[in-house]
Structure formats: structure tokens, C-alpha cells
């Protein structure tokens, strides 16, 4: 009797686990991607709208969100293009270290320009392989709307943003040609040095 | 692509560079559009000349255009600047209409026509965007560079035009066609000059933040602006369907 109950409990548990994992592993849907994007956008607007929070605190929270939601390392490798494979492991490590800081600072230092913009998700597109494009309009008071596409990818750790396309201009493609121009003209070490200088300047500016 | 190489080998005739850039780019325009890193090294065979013109433009912008835009922004209230933008936009409608027709887009041509008719009359010469406020007419900006793009022409070589800035073989030719086909360019010289100057200041005022951001974050503003310009034009030609996948390595 006891043994049977034990067995059926184990069975139930097993089934529950299977069920849980199958939903967790199930192909993400376009709806999940959309709600991810709108949730994230709302979180950012909430932080920006807080009246009593200090600028420093706001920036720290935005940084944490950025780090958690943007696939910084992947973007860093992508924008270095073919030069990534030609770099030594030490160059790669140094580059990614500075690039990550550079990208985060670029985005999170802009929050002081916020003047009441809101957003509206217009449509989403399933590109296959767990990749989605979430298109939104940034609605600006008294100015034309800006169309922004967020490219997100489903990873074991949840959705990650891997490109931001503003009015047809892709962050990763633009930066890739910018970096390849710098490397072609001055070399990879010069690029890393320039990144390090930018990061240092950003850090003195924000402190 | 062979044409590219031909011109690159003739790059070291300093005096002829501009002339060469201006006259030869059309020949390059028909090249297929490549993408990514490869596209941009191939699409800019005149890079040394372009970088020189770019530097010249930076100087002109720094001493003349940006200060004018800053004064304009600080002195003229937002309400006034909006009126000016409206007038300029209204005056561009005939060109937009013609290009929409040429692109086989009667919807946008229709919108441009009615927007122009309504704003010129009820909007008092375009000062007020009557059509925008009271109708659902939504006009997309179109020009002859976009028309040629819609007809299947690639951008051709990237060109930085003096003062005007980023362009391409196709778009520079398109600009010339639009200038000739614009009925308002046949008005009094004073009016034409005033309009041209106001267009530059209006555009620069709108771009203040974006350009500051580029200079703030880019390691090579020339390359950033080139890439952004080419991507933006592609998006405009595709009428902002920006949902293609990014190219993979």
C-alpha cells in the first residue's frame, strides 16, 4: 500500500517535472517576445519617471537592466567581424572588457535626455531559431515618431536583445563598419586603446 | 565591379578627384548592392577624397551651420520653428508627388497632392498642417534617389558632397533631378536662396542631438555616418520595412 503510494507520488512528480520542462523548453512564441519587450520598455519608463530617485541610482539600475537583457558579448564579437578571429586571446579578452563598458555607458548615460517619450509596439516578426523582431514607435511630444526595431533572441537564460534598429539603421551593422574602418586604418590595438580612452572619459564624466 | 578597380587605380590625380567623383559615379551605380563590411569597402572607392570633403564639411558646420542652428533653436520659439518646418515641408510636396507617381505609388501621390492642396489654402501657404491635423493623409518623403532605388539601381559609390554632406552616385544625381523638377526653384532668386538656407538650418536643428551623439560615441564618425546614411537610404527606398535579418558572418 505504502509502496504503491510512494510509486504513484514519484510518478506524479516525474510527470509534473516533464510537464514543467516541456513548457520551459517549448519554442518561445511571438507573444512571449512581445510581452518581454513591452515589459522591459515599461520598466525603463518607470525608472525614468521616478521623481525621488537620484540620477546616480537611476543610472545604476539602468546599467543592471542593460547587462541582464542585452547580449553584450555577442554584439561585441559581431561588431568586430572578421577581426575577431584574427585577434589573439588576450586581445579578445581586453577588447570585450572595454567594449562591454563602452556600450553600456553609451546607452545608460543618455537617460538625462528623457523628455516624456512613450512607446507603442506596432508589430512583431518571428525570424525562426528563437529570433524575433519587435517593432515599436517611440512617440515624442511635438516631434515625429521614431521607428525602432528590437531584435531579440531566446536563450536558456531568457530573451536577450542583440540589435537595436532605429529608422532602418542597425546598431550592430553601423558599429561593425565603424570598427572595421578603424582596424583597417589603424589596427586592432589602436581600436582597443581608443575604446579604453572613451570608457575612461565616460567614467570621469559620470562620476 | 571591374569599373571600381579602374577608378581606384586613378585615385592619385589630386586635381581631378572631385571631377572624377562627380562624373564617374553614375557609371558605378548599377553595381549590385553588397552588404556589410564588404559592401562598405567597395561602395566607397573615393574614400580619401570623401574624407577630405568630410573634414571640410566639419569645419563649415562648426563655424557656420551648427552655430546658426543653435541660434535659431534658442531665439525662435518652438511654435515659430514648427511653422517654418511646415512651410518647407509643404513646398516639397510637388517633388514628393512626382516621385511617388514614378515609383508606382498612387496612394502616396494622392496624399501628397491633397496635403499640398489643403495646406496651401486652408493651412495658409503651408504655415499650418491642416491636412495632418484634420485628415488621415500621411505623406512619406520621396525623392528621385529613392525613385531610382525603387527602379532597382544600387546606391553606386558613396560620395560626400561639399556642404550638403553624405550622398551617393545615385542620390547626387537624384538631387540634381529633384532640383530641376521642383517648380519652386523657378521663383525669385531671393526666395530660392531663402528657402535653401532655411532648409539647411531646419534640417540641422532637427539633427543637433543625433550628430552630437555620433561624435560622442563614435571612434570614426566618418565611417559611422557613411554606414548610417547607406542603411537609412535602403530603408527609405524599401519604405521602412526594416524586418530583414541582420547579415551573418
Amino acid at each position: 500500500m505504502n509502496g504503491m503510494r510512494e510509486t504513484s507520488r514519484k510518478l506524479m512528480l516525474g510527470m509534473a517535472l516533464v510537464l514543467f520542462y516541456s513548457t520551459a523548453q517549448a519554442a518561445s512564441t511571438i507573444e512571449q517576445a512581445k510581452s518581454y519587450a513591452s515589459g522591459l520598455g515599461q520598466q525603463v519608463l518607470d525608472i525614468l519617471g521616478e521623481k525621488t530617485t537620484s540620477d546616480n541610482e537611476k543610472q545604476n539600475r539602468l546599467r543592471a537592466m542593460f547587462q541582464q537583457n542585452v547580449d553584450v558579448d555577442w554584439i561585441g564579437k559581431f561588431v568586430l567581424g572578421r577581426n575577431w578571429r584574427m585577434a589573439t586571446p588576450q586581445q579578445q579578452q581586453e577588447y570585450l572588457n572595454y567594449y562591454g563598458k563602452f556600450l553600456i555607458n553609451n546607452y545608460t548615460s543618455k537617460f538625462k535626455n528623457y523628455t516624456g517619450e512613450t512607446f507603442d509596439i506596432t508589430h512583431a516578426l518571428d525570424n525562426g531559431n528563437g529570433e524575433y523582431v519587435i517593432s515599436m514607435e517611440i512617440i515624442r511630444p511635438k516631434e515625429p515618431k521614431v521607428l525602432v526595431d528590437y531584435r531579440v533572441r531566446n536563450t536558456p537564460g531568457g530573451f536577450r536583445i542583440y540589435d537595436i534598429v532605429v529608422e532602418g539603421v542597425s546598431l550592430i551593422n553601423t558599429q561593425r563598419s565603424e570598427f572595421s574602418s578603424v582596424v583597417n586604418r589603424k589596427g586592432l590595438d589602436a581600436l582597443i586603446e581608443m575604446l579604453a580612452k572613451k570608457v575612461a572619459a565616460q567614467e570621469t564624466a559620470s562620476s | 565591379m571591374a569599373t571600381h578597380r579602374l577608378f581606384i587605380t586613378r585615385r592619385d590625380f589630386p586635381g581631378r578627384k572631385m571631377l572624377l567623383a562627380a562624373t564617374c559615379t553614375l557609371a558605378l551605380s548599377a553595381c549590385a548592392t553588397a552588404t556589410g563590411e564588404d559592401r562598405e569597402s567597395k561602395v566607397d572607392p573615393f574614400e580619401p577624397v570623401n574624407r577630405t570633403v568630410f573634414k571640410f564639411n566639419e569645419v563649415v558646420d562648426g563655424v557656420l551651420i551648427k552655430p546658426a542652428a543653435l541660434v535659431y533653436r534658442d531665439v525662435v520659439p518652438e511654435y515659430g520653428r514648427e511653422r517654418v518646418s511646415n512651410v518647407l515641408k509643404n513646398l516639397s510636396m510637388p517633388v514628393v508627388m512626382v516621385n511617388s507617381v514614378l515609383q508606382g505609388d498612387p496612394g502616396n501621390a494622392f496624399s501628397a497632392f491633397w496635403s499640398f492642396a489643403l495646406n496651401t489654402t486652408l493651412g495658409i501657404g503651408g504655415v499650418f498642417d491642416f491636412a495632418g491635423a484634420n485628415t488621415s493623409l500621411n505623406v512619406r518623403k520621396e525623392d528621385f534617389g529613392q525613385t531610382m532605388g525603387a527602379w532597382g539601381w544600387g546606391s553606386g559609390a558613396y560620395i560626400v558632397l561639399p556642404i550638403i554632406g553624405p550622398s551617393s552616385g545615385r542620390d547626387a544625381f537624384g538631387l540634381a533631378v529633384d532640383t530641376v523638377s521642383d517648380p519652386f526653384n523657378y521663383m525669385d532668386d531671393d526666395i530660392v536662396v531663402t528657402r535653401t538656407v532655411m532648409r539647411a538650418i531646419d534640417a540641422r536643428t532637427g539633427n543637433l542631438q543625433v550628430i552630437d551623439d555620433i561624435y560622442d560615441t563614435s571612434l570614426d564618425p566618418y565611417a559611422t555616418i557613411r554606414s548610417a546614411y547607406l542603411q537609412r537610404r535602403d530603408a527609405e527606398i524599401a519604405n521602412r520595412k526594416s524586418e530583414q535579418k541582420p547579415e551573418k558572418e
Side-chain angles (χ1 to χ4, degrees):
Chain A
M1 237 352 219
N2 235 349
M4 260 195 51
R5 194 175 284 166
E6 193 61 23
T7 316
S8 72
R9 264 178 61 190
K10 273 183 182 160
L11 209 72
M12 291 269 285
L13 191 69
M15 273 171 65
L17 276 175
V18 167
L19 217 72
F20 173 75
Y21 274 111
S22 62
T23 36
Q25 295 287 307
S28 55
T29 67
I30 203 156
E31 286 311 315
Q32 285 174 323
K34 259 171 139 172
S35 73
Y36 164 76
S38 69
L40 193 62
Q42 197 51 53
Q43 268 178 285
V44 172
L45 289 188
D46 286 348
I47 294 178
L48 293 173
E50 283 172 17
K51 295 237 155 50
T52 51
T53 315
S54 72
D55 279 354
N56 228 340
E57 168 69 13
K58 279 184 187 174
Q59 185 160 5
N60 285 340
R61 280 164 60 188
L62 290 172
R63 291 179 76 95
M65 277 182 72
F66 195 95
Q67 251 156 343
Q68 207 186 339
N69 289 288
V70 179
D71 203 342
V72 178
D73 280 0
W74 183 88
I75 296 176
K77 287 176 203 168
F78 180 89
V79 299
L80 203 54
R82 61 171 81 94
N83 295 305
W84 172 260
R85 287 188 300 273
M86 301 201 234
T88 67
Q90 200 203 339
Q91 282 175 319
Q92 289 182 345
Q93 195 193 346
E94 238 184 308
Y95 162 78
L96 276 188
N97 171 37
Y98 287 122
Y99 180 77
K101 290 177 183 167
F102 172 70
L103 187 66
I104 291 176
N105 291 341
N106 281 350
Y107 272 83
T108 57
S109 63
K110 292 284 177 296
F111 75 97
K112 283 172 196 153
N113 298 336
Y114 180 70
T115 50
E117 289 87 349
T118 53
F119 69 92
D120 198 4
I121 295 185
T122 50
H123 62 279
L125 190 88
D126 187 342
N127 266 346
N129 299 324
E131 293 181 355
Y132 301 89
V133 185
I134 317 291
S135 301
M136 50 177 92
E137 291 177 348
I138 308 291
I139 300 151
R140 303 184 293 171
K142 296 208 157 206
E143 276 177 279
K145 292 170 190 163
V146 182
L147 304 183
V148 182
D149 293 343
Y150 284 85
R151 294 176 188 279
V152 304
R153 177 183 291 139
N154 201 11
T155 72
F159 285 108
R160 293 280 186 278
I161 297 168
Y162 69 96
D163 194 10
I164 302 171
V165 184
V166 181
E167 294 280 343
V169 180
S170 140
L171 160 76
I172 61 174
N173 290 337
T174 308
Q175 213 157 43
R176 181 149 142 163
S177 53
E178 171 191 328
F179 282 16
S180 100
S181 167
V182 173
V183 174
N184 288 343
R185 291 161 58 85
K186 296 172 177 160
L188 180 58
D189 285 325
L191 175 85
I192 295 172
E193 200 180 310
M194 285 162 91
L195 281 174
K197 272 189 192 150
K198 280 267 182 205
V199 170
Q202 286 166 336
E203 275 163 11
T204 36
S206 71
S207 65
Chain B
M1 283 304 165
T3 36
H4 278 247
R5 249 169 256 129
L6 184 74
F7 293 126
I8 289 171
T9 56
R10 299 179 60 185
R11 211 158 48 188
D12 34 21
F13 287 82
R16 306 216 178 128
K17 278 176 181 173
M18 276 307 299
L19 192 68
L20 204 64
T23 52
C24 295
T25 44
L26 262 177
L28 306 176
S29 298
C31 292
T33 310
T35 47
E37 291 163 290
D38 291 330
R39 169 186 173 171
E40 275 162 27
S41 52
K42 283 179 189 143
V43 88
D44 196 1
F46 309 113
E47 183 168 342
V49 196
N50 280 340
R51 281 195 185 260
T52 309
V53 179
F54 185 81
K55 272 186 200 136
F56 168 77
N57 287 351
E58 282 181 322
V59 173
V60 174
D61 183 61
V63 299
L64 213 66
I65 303 174
K66 189 181 179 189
L70 287 171
V71 169
Y72 179 66
R73 186 192 66 185
D74 293 340
V75 170
V76 181
E78 196 180 335
Y79 183 81
R81 298 199 307 266
E82 219 176 293
R83 304 282 79 72
V84 171
S85 293
N86 284 350
V87 171
L88 293 171
K89 198 177 157 201
N90 194 47
L91 291 176
S92 73
M93 286 299 149
V95 168
V96 172
M97 195 182 82
V98 167
N99 282 298
S100 300
V101 170
L102 292 174
Q103 289 172 37
D105 184 354
N108 203 54
F110 176 89
S111 297
F113 174 79
W114 279 109
S115 169
F116 182 70
L118 291 171
N119 286 346
T120 305
T121 52
L122 297 169
I124 317 174
V127 172
F128 298 97
D129 185 10
F130 179 87
N134 298 291
T135 70
S136 59
L137 294 172
N138 199 358
V139 188
R140 233 182 12 252
K141 186 189 149 286
E142 297 292 349
D143 54 56
F144 198 69
Q146 289 184 56
T147 298
M148 289 198 286
W151 290 348
W153 293 56
S155 66
Y158 178 72
I159 308 175
V160 181
L161 294 173
I163 309 196
I164 293 167
S167 191
S168 65
R170 179 195 63 208
D171 294 340
F173 181 74
L175 183 66
V177 171
D178 287 331
T179 307
V180 173
S181 72
D182 189 335
F184 298 114
N185 280 339
Y186 296 93
M187 296 172 80
D188 238 34
D189 278 359
D190 287 354
I191 299 177
V192 175
V193 170
T194 310
R195 178 188 177 209
T196 308
V197 170
M198 283 321 295
R199 265 171 124 169
I201 294 176
D202 178 65
R204 189 65 181 91
T205 309
N207 283 339
L208 280 168
Q209 185 68 50
V210 176
I211 293 178
D212 282 355
D213 281 351
I214 290 174
Y215 276 87
D216 210 27
T217 56
S218 175
L219 306 180
D220 184 354
Y222 173 85
T224 304
I225 290 171
R226 176 180 65 194
S227 175
Y229 175 80
L230 294 169
Q231 290 181 63
R232 180 89 189 91
R233 289 299 284 174
D234 283 352
E236 283 176 341
I237 288 160
N239 291 333
R240 294 179 181 171
K241 289 183 201 106
S242 50
E243 50 254 10
Q244 302 93 343
K245 291 183 183 189
E247 67 259 29
K248 294 267 184 321
E249 276 185 65

